[in-house]
Amino acid sequence: MSGLVVNDLHVFHGAIRAVDGLSFSVETGQLAAIIGANGAGKTTLLRALTGLKSVQSGSATWNGESMLRQKPENLVRQGIVHVSDGKSVIPELSVKENLALGGLWRRDKKDVAIVTKEVLDLFPRLGERMSQSADTLSGGERQMLAIGRSLISRPSLLLLDEPSLGLAPLVIEQIFQAIKSLQARLNLTVVLVEQNAMGALRIADIGVIVNLGRLVTVGPSQELINNPALRAAYLGY
Amino acid sequence: MLKRKPTTQVQIDMDKNIARRKIIGAAFFIFLGIALYVASNIVDELRVYQGATVAVYVVAISSIILLTGYSGQISLGHGALMAVGAYAAVLSRNYWNFPIPLTFAVAVLAAALFGALLGMAAGRLSGPYLAGTTLALAVGLPSLANQFKILGGEEGLTYDVGFPPLALGQDFTQYKWFFWIAALAALAATWVIFNVLGSRYGRQWRALRSNPTAAALLGVHVARSKVLAFTISSGVAGLAGALMSMTISLVTPSAFPLSLSFAIVTGAVLAGVTLLTGSIVGAVVLVAIPEVTAALATHLGGSEKVTSNLPGLMMSALLILSVLFFPNGPQLHRRKTRKS
Amino acid sequence: MSRIINTLLIGISGGSIYSLMSLALVLVWRSTRVVNFAQAGQAILSTYIGYVVVTHTDNYWLAFPVALLSGALIGALVDIFLIRILARRANSGPVAAIAPVIATLGLLGLIRAIVGMIWGGDLRRFKLPVTNHGFTFGHTTIPFAPINLLIVVTTVIVMLIFSVIFQRTNLGLALRASAFSPEIARLAGVRVDLTRTIGWAFAGAAGAIAGVLVTPTNYLSPNSLDLLLVSGFVAAVIGGLESLIGAALGGLVLGISLAFVLEYISSSLAFPVAFVVLMAVLLIKPAGLFGGKRVRSA
Amino acid sequence: MDNRSTLLSIDSLSVSFGGLKALANVSLDLHAGEVVGLIGPNGAGKTTFFNALSGLVSVASGSLRLYDQDQKWPQPHDLVDLGIARTLQGVGLFPDLTVLENVMLGATKFSEGGLIRAALGLEGRTERKLQTLAMNALERVYAAGIAHQRVDSLPYPVTKRVAIARALVSEPKILLLDEPAGGLGIQDIDWMNGLIRNLAQNCAILLVEHHMDVVMSVCHRLYVLNFGEVIASGDAKSVRENPDVVAAYLGTQAVH
Amino acid sequence: QAFSVHAETGVTATQIKLGITIPLTGSAAPGYSKIPSAMQAYFNYVNDNGGVYGRKISLVVKDDAYLPTLAVAKTNELILKDKVFAVVGALGTANNKAVAKSVNLGRRGIPDLFVNTGYSGFADAKKYPTTFSLFPSYIMEAKIMGQYIKENFAGKKLGLIYQDDDFGTDALVGFKQAGVKFDVSVPYASGSQSAQSAQGWIGKLKAAGAEVVVMFGVTTASGAALATAAAMAYKAQWILGSVGGDATTLKAVGVPAYVLTGAMGASFLPAPTDTTDEYVKFFQGINTKYNGDAVFDNNVLVAMNTAMMAVQALRAGGKNLTHASVMSGLENSGSSFASASLSPINYASGVHVGYSGYWFGTYNSAGELKPNGGAYSVYTTDSGAGAIVKSTFKRPALPANGLPTN
Ligand SMILES: Nc1ncnc2c1ncn2[C@@H]1O[C@H](COP(=O)(O)OP(=O)(O)OP(=O)(O)O)[C@@H](O)[C@H]1O
Ligand SMILES: Nc1ncnc2c1ncn2[C@@H]1O[C@H](COP(=O)(O)OP(=O)(O)OP(=O)(O)O)[C@@H](O)[C@H]1O
Ligand SMILES: [Mg+2]
Ligand SMILES: [Mg+2]
């Protein structure tokens, strides 16, 4: 089975069942938005998928191969790249070094150069800040840097945790557009965790709504947007 | 989602909390005092002497708990501050013939003053920079004693608290006297520290430890508050220094080596750094382990090379294992519950 | 005039030894954010291993690489069996700040005890690689000998190598990233465990070099590098812990100031002077001569 | 010109970091009873503006008037006494303290007695007073029930409210809120809206926020920063329609 | 005097328990850590030959890492837990001072025999009623050395390196009493000695043009000084104090033989390498048989000599061994004990300092200290203003088989 398949996944934080039997799948090339209130277990899900958090039971496969019980750095080499929430840059390093980090392990240095340039075109702000250390960046600039770095790893599956957090509306729009166009251009599979439900669903192919660690519903995003019950309960419009 | 209690109910809970804390605290110290009194009468002289040493370490470890566990500053130089206290005490005794309790007060004040100066100078330092400065202090200060005749050089100055008062009876030994003095001082010191840590000062230290910026924005004068912690901690260390010198009746630079500074930090870690009551555990371990490991080494036998190094080996191994497996000290359960 | 120059030379040759030790400490700091008090212990163990080679082969130049490699190996083992576990278990709260201090102090004691068990406490002598007889110009012999030259040159070479590695190579970037933020480094594909172990191995090698260079002019015993650890640490803090140049310079600043104070003020003030020099530097620059910039606070 | 009393008035504030001009000649007024929004793209200098006002970065030039008096740029720890309270971007609570302790810290300026009293355990009265104040503040953000929980055990939206309570407890005349709704879900954002409006009855608020629905529904006036300069100011509607603001910040199709 | 019926603590019908605190680990351990096993070696020899009136001697050894706090703690263990009969050979000035006061051996009446320090304060038998020093004080050593310098190196430029603590400052007192002024003196902080710091010392001596240099420091310091002097091509007549003059250790810390050759040293014992000396020869035999053939250096010699003194003290205490009997035995007959020392023993009623004299020698190319003038000539004095006199003392011969018969 190609794509991302999550089956009956359970992840605990101590006694808290942060992810409680979640199943869904995302086909290759699709953009899935994962929506849910604070504490729904979205972050935990992503951390479990990329080896940052150990899982209790269940399975998760990418293109048929299990992703679980692997180190994050090995998953990166398989094209599975996770941009964690909020602070996914190393403040002590310069912008340039943060970007370089994403391509350190790659052999194809030419492509690293190409994709770095693409990233700088996408986020010109970063280009102006190349030699500044990342701790001087504003919140939004940091988020751009984190996404930029992940792209340099040439992901095939990109997991983004709240990329819009703390960003200006215009930038959110730009980032969402960027994600959308990257997905299309690179045939990227994207799992996008978002509080900004409407924005995310608008660009997503499918939506996964979770609550208290369980699946509420999964379906084509347009359907979810149009479903009045869901709108009221989860999307707030 | 959030249950609300009526204000009055909450208010009553709070009053109860404060009162309970006070009562438990007072009861604890009274109970401890009684227990110590009883203990000093039934155990043999060696244990009484060791009890005095434990009391000394309790005081020293408490000073580190206040400094590191609360205000988040590291000191590898508390041995030197103990030396300051000890020398101040002995000088006040030898030159002005101060009564014993007053010499302890002098020790506290002198060490606190020294700590304040150091804290002001080092106030802007953090982490390894502070560790480095205090380490250099620990190495540099005691050897200064050789430069001043009045400090008695390597040979040191005799610190004599005198024999126990006759009123205490014939078989009241010198060590019991040391123990009483040290235990009483330790009780007083820990009680004061307990109060300070429970007050807004303790709260401010805990706050600035994890987020100095946020603390400053709430009106905490971060630098001053850190210096205050350093000062109090130094004063307490000074008391420990005077007490330690009392138990060996001598103030000499070699009694305050770097290893002493390390030992009390170790004791604080064994105590769980943030746990004042743990200081007793830390102190007992510091006193007991050398004896236990030495006995074990003798028991295991082997060539002298081996037996003489075995206690060191076991002590170090124990230390490593304890930070690896009980980094938060000896408490059985830790509040780490996250409620949803 | 010649007095000043002699004092300077004494300072430089003493200081370069401190620089090497300080370098080892900085390497560990930069790759794991740990101040390694066991560095002197690791160095002493490697030096004893070198000593065994020297006594069996009578060849210093064979002992040197052996000590260096065993230093690297010891460093790697320490990371794998101690620091990794520590990073997993004591990683939050106030204890996180001092747990590494305690663990490495414990390790120092452990290694010393092991060394004492194997080799005993006797003082031992390490063969000199080159003479310690000062260079002679005409009738004057200066206090700077081929051995001092060897130490200075080795320090410079070691420093250059590591500077290049840290500043110019991918490994250097990976090392820094892993030190500052292991999780994010992992997510960027850096093999963090391996990288940090390499950092420890580098530091172990640097410490071993310091050990085998300083011991021939002194003697070897389980405690013979203690003094060096303290001065190395002071030098590293003076240098700001972050930069290798800082480490080297810190060592020289300490060595030269010590030499001048001991020469012109009093020769028994060695320890207080170290403290005063350190305080002086830190009062002017709280993060050392080459310390990091202040991190944004809100 | 507004005829209500001016609490805070900043004139041509400039801040630079090395070569970077983070704020250039920014002037801003805050009147009693007002909620003023400070918006702008990421990196525009909003947090830096707060930082300058609270003494966390040094000011290159510019003057400050508080309550109609000239005032030196304050140090961070002076802020509370000047009647200014601030929340930090993110959360900025002390994670290993309880909620109550966090909030009590904000009330420290009401404590009496010094170290000696504290050392002798005679602080009971002051402690009780601080606790009462803290509980009242928690009530105002509907978080009294969790007073004795450790902060790191709380769900994110609740920590946001605690952060506000901690700022409130010092009874500020001016409240600086840095992205109070950041990271919140839809329901909590609505809730936060209400809370801010509620708070505005007691103090003037300066608000940095990217959620336009919050900004538009609670702010009386807005200042828009871009590259450290004020590019527009005025009421919500006029700002929203200002083409410069749309181009620099809002974007053509408002996401919210 | 009535016979006590029950035996003293630490004494049974078959055993006498003695205790010692000494650094076995830490920076002071090298050298000193050899002492306990060497003592035990001699005790074992005596034990194999009938012990002391049928009682075998056992030595409980405690590591104090050279710290006064530990010395007190460990001595307490010796006395209160191991219940030793006496402490013998405990090392270090500060340690012994702390122990004497805090453990209060005097008040407990426990003999503190042959403390291993040159601290002059222990001469006060009223203050330290149970403490017996064996070695001459550092003041005596310096006084005698000063006298020697005045006699042999008059008019030369004099230099001094000394450890800047009691050890060295005691020496300053002694030199002053002897009326010797140094043209240049270089103090060093204990623990700071190394090849690096020695460059500074030698630089100063060289600049001042000192022709005769007295080294009053520990062995690692004199080693560093000698080696560095050679490296910096500085030639002077060196005179090493007894503490820093052990040739075997000097060799171990890297002093080449040619550097030591020609230097002078002061000692009260014969050179440990002098196999013509009957005591040295006998102790070397014990060392081979009972001490695993450890390197026979000054420390081993000192240890075995101390052990032999201890056996005699115990014998002097009589069959009915008590604390008091040992101490009065020492006071009454201690001065006639057999000992390797070339200095007379001064024990008498109220006099608790043993040796009082030194002889001077020159190191030959084999590192042996050979007496100047071919024969031992010993000078004696006291720690005060007493005169320095040439001794006429004749050392008692080694008892048959090295087993005391006093
Ligand atoms: N480190 C942790 N320790 C204990 N519990 C945790 C931890 N991290 C998260 N939790 C709990 O697990 C549950 C799911 O949290 P998670 O962070 O995955 O939610 P989320 O959907 O990402 O929320 P948000 O939108 O606020 O980011 C919550 O109840 C949270 O309190
Ligand atoms: N300490 C500093 N050193 C150097 N540059 C800094 C520093 N602090 C902020 N900056 C720079 O100043 C600019 C303004 O930053 P600021 O944090 O004020 O932005 P902001 O408007 O709050 O953005 P956001 O909405 O993303 O939080 C940014 O470009 C940032 O990189
Ligand atoms: Mg999340
Ligand atoms: Mg901001």
Side-chain angles (χ1 to χ4, degrees):
Chain A
M1 163 94 210
S2 70
L4 172 69
V5 181
V6 175
N7 191 18
D8 196 24
L9 197 69
H10 290 263
V11 187
F12 294 179
H13 283 292
I16 298 169
R17 298 159 167 264
V19 173
D20 195 13
L22 208 56
S23 307
F24 65 90
S25 55
V26 184
E27 275 166 39
T28 310
Q30 271 192 333
L31 196 164
I34 303 199
I35 310 294
N38 293 107
K42 307 178 297 292
T43 297
T44 307
L45 170 69
L46 291 200
R47 291 178 68 83
L49 289 181
T50 52
L52 291 173
K53 177 91 185 91
S54 55
V55 300
Q56 222 68 30
S57 65
S59 71
T61 59
W62 170 241
N63 292 338
E65 287 184 42
S66 174
M67 308 166 62
L68 301 180
R69 281 168 270 281
Q70 294 209 48
K71 288 187 177 169
E73 57 262 40
N74 292 335
L75 292 172
V76 170
R77 285 166 175 71
Q78 296 161 33
I80 302 169
V81 180
H82 175 179
V83 179
S84 60
D85 55 345
K87 45 203 176 290
S88 204
V89 300
I90 299 183
E92 291 86 352
L93 300 183
S94 69
V95 170
K96 192 175 183 174
E97 288 169 329
N98 266 290
L99 286 176
L101 220 47
L104 271 193
W105 57 272
R106 295 187 54 193
R107 287 277 146 77
D108 188 352
K109 296 296 170 200
K110 250 199 223 118
D111 187 58
V112 171
I114 293 171
V115 70
T116 305
K117 188 162 173 309
E118 285 174 10
V119 166
L120 293 179
D121 290 343
L122 187 61
F123 305 118
R125 217 6 124 68
L126 295 182
E128 297 158 20
R129 299 268 186 280
M130 282 303 260
S131 56
Q132 225 168 300
S133 77
D135 68 59
T136 65
L137 295 186
S138 79
E141 292 162 344
R142 289 187 193 204
Q143 199 59 265
M144 298 178 201
L145 180 55
I147 295 174
R149 188 206 64 218
S150 74
L151 292 177
I152 292 175
S153 298
R154 277 278 187 227
S156 51
L157 172 61
L158 185 61
L159 304 116
L160 299 170
D161 198 350
E162 292 201 45
S164 76
L165 184 70
L167 294 197
L170 178 64
V171 183
I172 296 180
E173 207 178 297
Q174 286 170 354
I175 285 190
F176 281 179
Q177 287 313 322
I179 293 169
K180 186 77 201 162
S181 73
L182 285 167
Q183 176 217 0
R185 195 146 51 89
L186 307 173
N187 193 27
L188 204 58
T189 311
V190 181
V191 175
L192 175 64
V193 163
E194 260 306 332
Q195 285 289 355
N196 184 347
M198 284 312 285
L201 284 177
R202 260 192 213 122
I203 58 163
D205 301 309
I206 62 166
V208 181
I209 299 184
V210 290
N211 191 27
L212 295 176
R214 303 219 175 110
L215 185 69
V216 176
T217 184
V218 51
S221 47
Q222 208 50 47
E223 268 174 35
L224 298 183
I225 294 175
N226 295 335
N227 181 331
L230 287 177
R231 269 186 98 113
Y234 295 100
L235 312 180
Y237 283 86
Chain B
M1 175 173 160
L2 297 169
K3 281 163 268 143
R4 284 185 56 196
K5 283 186 186 176
T7 318
T8 45
Q9 180 58 44
V10 174
Q11 188 65 53
I12 292 167
D13 280 1
M14 267 160 25
D15 285 1
K16 262 204 223 136
N17 259 336
I18 292 187
R20 204 186 313 138
R21 196 186 128 82
K22 272 251 168 83
I23 292 170
I24 291 175
F28 177 74
F29 283 104
I30 291 168
F31 171 77
L32 208 62
I34 295 171
L36 289 175
Y37 173 76
V38 173
S40 75
N41 283 320
I42 50 178
V43 300
D44 66 38
E45 214 187 339
L46 178 63
R47 302 299 167 211
V48 171
Y49 163 76
Q50 289 174 333
T53 315
V54 168
V56 173
Y57 277 129
V58 164
V59 178
I61 291 172
S62 305
S63 76
I64 295 287
I65 288 178
L66 184 148
L67 187 72
T68 307
Y70 278 74
S71 86
Q73 305 176 83
I74 295 179
S75 170
L76 301 176
H78 262 44
L81 294 163
M82 287 173 71
V84 171
Y87 274 102
V90 72
L91 289 177
S92 71
R93 177 103 184 124
N94 291 358
Y95 287 86
W96 301 298
N97 206 11
F98 278 10
I100 304 302
L102 208 55
T103 65
F104 291 148
V106 170
V108 172
L109 288 179
L113 189 71
F114 188 88
L117 290 175
L118 185 74
M120 274 184 244
R124 296 182 295 161
L125 307 179
S126 59
Y129 297 100
L130 189 58
T133 313
T134 48
L135 176 80
L137 176 76
V139 178
L141 191 74
S143 70
L144 262 188
N146 291 324
Q147 303 301 313
F148 302 99
K149 265 262 133 43
I150 190 176
L151 299 181
E154 186 63 32
E155 182 188 311
L157 299 168
T158 305
Y159 184 44
D160 196 346
V161 299
F163 296 120
L166 278 176
L168 290 171
Q170 271 295 311
D171 39 339
F172 198 93
T173 63
Q174 183 79 40
Y175 282 156
K176 213 186 235 182
W177 184 225
F178 286 170
F179 173 75
W180 274 37
I181 295 176
L184 217 67
L187 278 176
T190 43
W191 181 69
V192 166
I193 295 175
F194 175 81
N195 284 332
V196 173
L197 293 184
S199 76
R200 66 171 186 279
Y201 294 96
R203 201 158 52 229
Q204 289 183 354
W205 290 327
R206 284 188 291 151
L208 62 83
R209 178 185 73 205
S210 61
N211 193 341
T213 311
L217 291 171
L218 296 176
V220 177
H221 198 307
V222 174
R224 207 179 287 160
S225 189
K226 278 182 156 177
V227 172
L228 181 69
F230 211 99
T231 306
I232 298 176
S233 172
S234 302
V236 175
L239 175 64
L243 292 172
M244 188 184 87
S245 300
M246 170 190 75
T247 64
I248 63 167
S249 305
L250 184 73
V251 182
T252 167
S254 59
F256 305 96
L258 191 55
S259 55
L260 174 67
S261 299
F262 288 163
I264 55 183
V265 175
T266 301
V269 169
L270 293 173
V273 228
T274 53
L275 216 65
L276 194 57
T277 41
S279 64
I280 299 173
V281 179
V284 168
V285 173
L286 283 186
V287 171
I289 292 297
E291 191 185 334
V292 173
T293 51
L296 205 60
T298 324
H299 184 75
L300 293 176
S303 80
E304 197 193 274
K305 270 199 267 192
V306 175
T307 50
S308 63
N309 283 297
L310 206 52
L313 184 93
M314 290 190 278
M315 178 82 191
S316 309
L318 187 88
L319 190 59
I320 293 175
L321 293 177
S322 68
V323 278
L324 283 186
F325 297 105
F326 305 101
N328 292 312
Q331 70 262 63
L332 298 173
H333 56 93
R334 183 124 182 112
R335 281 197 303 152
K336 237 188 182 169
T337 43
R338 284 176 62 118
K339 299 205 181 109
S340 49
Chain C
M1 189 57 205
S2 76
R3 188 172 169 206
I4 294 182
I5 292 173
N6 278 351
T7 313
L8 195 66
L9 287 173
I10 290 170
I12 291 172
S13 66
S16 40
I17 297 276
Y18 307 152
S19 302
L20 266 178
M21 198 62 179
S22 140
L23 186 74
L25 292 167
V26 168
L27 284 172
V28 167
W29 173 255
R30 286 193 53 161
S31 51
T32 31
R33 302 275 112 184
V34 168
V35 174
N36 183 15
F37 286 96
Q39 198 73 63
Q42 293 168 233
I44 210 78
L45 184 52
S46 337
T47 310
Y48 266 100
I49 293 171
Y51 166 80
V52 170
V53 176
V54 158
T55 42
H56 279 87
T57 64
D58 200 36
N59 185 344
Y60 179 89
W61 299 112
L62 198 62
F64 192 94
V66 170
L68 191 147
L69 287 178
S70 44
L73 183 67
I74 294 164
L77 292 176
V78 170
D79 180 53
I80 293 170
F81 291 107
L82 183 63
I83 304 301
R84 261 188 214 178
I85 305 175
L86 197 70
R88 232 177 305 150
R89 301 190 136 269
N91 53 8
S92 64
V95 76
I98 46 171
V101 176
I102 301 298
T104 54
L105 278 175
L107 184 64
L108 177 64
L110 193 74
I111 294 180
R112 261 191 208 145
I114 291 172
V115 167
M117 281 183 173
I118 301 176
W119 287 284
D122 296 339
L123 305 177
R124 283 153 200 273
R125 192 179 164 192
F126 208 106
K127 190 183 151 83
L128 276 166
V130 293
T131 174
N132 64 342
H133 281 227
F135 290 108
T136 308
F137 300 98
H139 289 296
T140 50
T141 306
I142 58 165
F144 196 83
I147 180 82
N148 302 113
L149 189 65
L150 177 71
I151 291 171
V152 173
V153 169
T154 316
T155 309
V156 171
I157 293 175
V158 170
M159 229 188 61
L160 284 179
I161 293 176
F162 284 126
S163 294
V164 169
I165 290 179
F166 264 84
Q167 301 303 346
R168 307 241 184 278
T169 67
N170 287 346
L171 177 59
L173 181 54
L175 273 165
R176 284 183 296 145
S178 311
F180 288 124
S181 182
E183 182 175 305
I184 295 168
R186 275 207 168 91
L187 290 178
V190 175
R191 294 194 193 282
V192 169
D193 287 341
L194 180 66
T195 309
R196 288 161 69 116
T197 303
I198 291 174
W200 274 80
F202 281 169
I209 294 174
V212 289
L213 282 179
V214 73
T215 303
T217 57
N218 283 311
Y219 55 87
L220 186 59
S221 83
N223 292 73
S224 62
L225 293 184
D226 287 8
L227 189 61
L228 193 58
L229 176 73
V230 173
S231 21
F233 186 41
V234 169
V237 173
I238 289 176
L241 279 168
E242 297 293 345
S243 103
L244 303 176
I245 311 283
L249 232 71
L252 287 181
V253 166
L254 183 63
I256 293 172
S257 344
L258 268 176
F260 273 90
V261 173
L262 298 192
E263 172 70 21
Y264 288 94
I265 298 177
S266 162
S267 49
S268 57
L269 289 174
F271 299 115
V273 170
F275 174 64
V276 171
V277 172
L278 180 67
M279 278 303 265
V281 170
L282 291 181
L283 282 180
I284 301 163
K285 293 205 70 187
L289 294 177
F290 286 78
K293 298 151 237 143
R294 266 183 61 83
V295 169
R296 182 177 169 172
S297 48
Chain D
M1 191 62 215
D2 210 297
N3 53 10
R4 281 175 300 179
S5 74
T6 308
L7 297 181
L8 170 74
S9 167
I10 286 175
D11 191 37
S12 28
L13 168 64
S14 297
V15 172
S16 20
F17 301 108
L20 179 83
K21 244 191 160 160
L23 291 176
N25 294 317
V26 174
S27 301
L28 177 146
D29 292 309
L30 179 66
H31 308 289
E34 250 189 338
V35 181
V36 170
L38 189 58
I39 61 172
N42 296 108
K46 304 178 295 295
T47 299
T48 303
F49 181 87
F50 276 12
N51 282 350
L53 181 53
S54 42
L56 290 172
V57 302
S58 53
V59 168
S61 66
S63 62
L64 168 68
R65 278 177 76 77
L66 268 181
Y67 318 121
D68 281 323
Q69 283 182 342
D70 284 332
Q71 172 75 43
K72 278 195 319 193
W73 291 98
Q75 291 280 302
H77 48 260
D78 299 333
L79 225 51
V80 177
D81 288 330
L82 294 173
I84 304 176
R86 168 181 177 183
T87 65
L88 292 166
Q89 191 167 351
V91 179
L93 292 176
F94 308 111
D96 48 353
L97 271 61
T98 65
V99 168
L100 184 65
E101 285 174 319
N102 262 280
V103 181
M104 282 168 77
L105 271 159
T108 305
K109 78 167 182 190
F110 301 109
S111 55
E112 312 141 18
L115 185 63
I116 307 281
R117 284 181 65 84
L120 299 178
L122 303 174
E123 283 248 291
R125 219 164 53 101
T126 281
E127 282 288 286
R128 256 193 300 281
K129 181 167 144 201
L130 297 192
Q131 287 195 356
T132 312
L133 289 168
M135 288 311 291
N136 290 343
L138 283 169
E139 299 248 312
R140 285 174 69 184
V141 302
Y142 305 103
I146 47 150
H148 296 289
Q149 292 189 26
R150 264 169 69 115
V151 162
D152 57 8
S153 71
L154 297 176
Y156 182 73
V158 182
T159 60
K160 285 275 192 186
R161 285 190 241 164
V162 175
I164 291 180
R166 192 179 67 180
L168 275 185
V169 72
S170 65
E171 293 172 11
K173 297 198 183 69
I174 300 169
L175 184 59
L176 313 178
L177 299 177
D178 199 347
E179 299 202 27
L184 292 187
I186 312 282
Q187 290 89 342
D188 286 305
I189 288 180
D190 281 349
W191 197 91
M192 187 61 77
N193 259 337
L195 178 63
I196 293 171
R197 250 184 251 118
N198 199 343
L199 297 178
Q201 292 164 4
N202 296 308
C203 55
I205 295 177
L206 195 54
L207 174 74
V208 168
E209 187 51 76
H210 287 302
H211 277 283
M212 276 309 112
D213 15 351
V214 177
V215 174
M216 295 302 164
S217 70
V218 304
C219 293
H220 303 120
R221 283 192 302 128
L222 293 177
Y223 288 82
V224 187
L225 283 178
N226 193 21
F227 290 111
E229 291 180 55
V230 179
I231 56 167
S233 62
D235 63 53
K237 192 163 153 8
S238 72
V239 164
R240 183 175 216 161
E241 283 156 11
N242 183 321
D244 289 346
V245 178
V246 172
Y249 181 61
L250 293 174
T252 44
Q253 118 198 61
V255 179
H256 287 276
Chain E
Q1 197 183 349
F3 282 100
S4 65
V5 244
H6 43 237
E8 192 81 68
T9 308
V11 182
T12 67
T14 56
Q15 197 200 32
I16 305 168
K17 232 193 216 183
L18 301 177
I20 181 172
T21 56
I22 201 152
L24 297 178
T25 58
S27 50
Y32 297 138
S33 59
K34 299 174 79 171
I35 288 178
S37 47
M39 285 170 74
Q40 185 67 60
Y42 179 76
F43 290 145
N44 284 346
Y45 171 70
V46 172
N47 290 346
D48 286 353
N49 288 281
V52 174
Y53 297 124
R55 297 183 176 109
K56 310 222 148 142
I57 304 170
S58 74
L59 183 66
V60 186
V61 184
K62 301 271 177 183
D63 178 17
D64 64 14
Y66 211 52
L67 304 176
T69 33
L70 271 186
V72 169
K74 298 293 181 177
T75 308
N76 272 319
E77 277 183 32
L78 283 176
I79 291 185
L80 301 169
K81 189 169 151 211
D82 299 303
K83 304 208 187 303
V84 298
F85 172 70
V87 178
V88 56
L91 184 105
T93 302
N95 290 9
N96 273 302
K97 252 189 102 175
V99 166
K101 186 77 187 94
S102 166
V103 185
N104 213 335
L105 294 170
R107 207 169 178 223
R108 291 175 198 266
I110 295 172
D112 184 14
L113 302 180
F114 314 134
V115 291
N116 191 345
T117 159
Y119 171 55
S120 49
F122 288 129
D124 187 347
K126 283 215 186 62
K127 199 165 164 198
Y128 304 107
T130 62
T131 300
F132 288 78
S133 325
L134 187 56
F135 306 148
S137 71
Y138 301 129
I139 295 183
M140 290 178 182
E141 181 171 351
K143 251 171 96 177
I144 293 171
M145 205 181 267
Q147 178 71 23
Y148 187 86
I149 290 169
K150 279 204 303 200
E151 283 172 15
N152 293 284
F153 300 107
K156 301 245 170 167
K157 279 214 153 178
L158 302 179
L160 170 69
I161 302 176
Y162 66 97
Q163 185 159 309
D164 194 9
D165 57 18
D166 303 340
F167 170 34
T169 42
D170 263 6
L172 294 185
V173 173
F175 286 121
K176 197 163 167 209
Q177 275 175 6
V180 176
K181 274 217 179 70
F182 290 93
D183 298 282
V184 51
S185 54
V186 183
Y188 74 89
S190 167
S192 72
Q193 66 271 21
S194 68
Q196 285 77 45
S197 41
Q199 287 185 334
W201 313 341
I202 303 300
K204 276 194 171 169
L205 293 170
K206 215 173 159 180
E211 298 159 283
V212 177
V213 180
V214 175
M215 176 73 218
F216 227 93
V218 295
T219 319
T220 45
S222 49
L226 286 171
T228 308
M232 287 171 67
Y234 169 60
K235 289 199 175 53
Q237 174 61 56
W238 287 87
I239 304 179
L240 309 181
S242 62
V243 172
D246 180 34
T248 318
T249 317
L250 285 173
K251 244 190 250 162
V253 299
V255 179
Y258 74 90
V259 173
L260 190 58
T261 310
M264 289 186 184
S267 183
F268 47 87
L269 289 170
T273 41
D274 183 0
T275 44
T276 62
D277 188 286
E278 54 175 345
Y279 281 89
V280 172
K281 201 166 151 218
F282 165 69
F283 286 139
Q284 283 184 343
I286 300 285
N287 186 50
T288 315
K289 270 218 209 108
Y290 286 87
N291 199 24
D293 213 7
V295 176
F296 193 86
D297 59 12
N298 218 29
N299 286 309
V300 176
L301 177 58
V302 163
M304 292 198 178
N305 185 53
T306 305
M308 186 183 255
M309 289 291 289
V311 167
Q312 292 171 88
L314 294 175
R315 289 182 67 86
K319 292 196 169 100
N320 198 347
L321 193 60
T322 65
H323 291 154
S325 72
V326 166
M327 290 187 288
S328 63
L330 254 175
E331 286 194 344
N332 296 335
S333 60
S335 60
S336 63
F337 284 0
S339 131
S341 167
L342 297 155
S343 151
I345 305 175
N346 286 354
Y347 292 135
S349 173
V351 182
H352 287 190
V353 181
Y355 302 144
S356 59
Y358 280 88
W359 57 273
F360 288 85
T362 303
Y363 293 94
N364 68 14
S365 55
E368 293 167 34
L369 190 64
K370 291 287 178 196
N372 289 348
Y376 293 115
S377 98
V378 174
Y379 290 84
T380 63
T381 189
D382 61 11
S383 279
I388 300 158
V389 291
K390 191 156 190 279
S391 161
T392 53
F393 169 72
K394 208 172 145 339
R395 183 175 75 174
L398 180 76
N401 297 324
L403 295 166
T405 52
N406 66 312

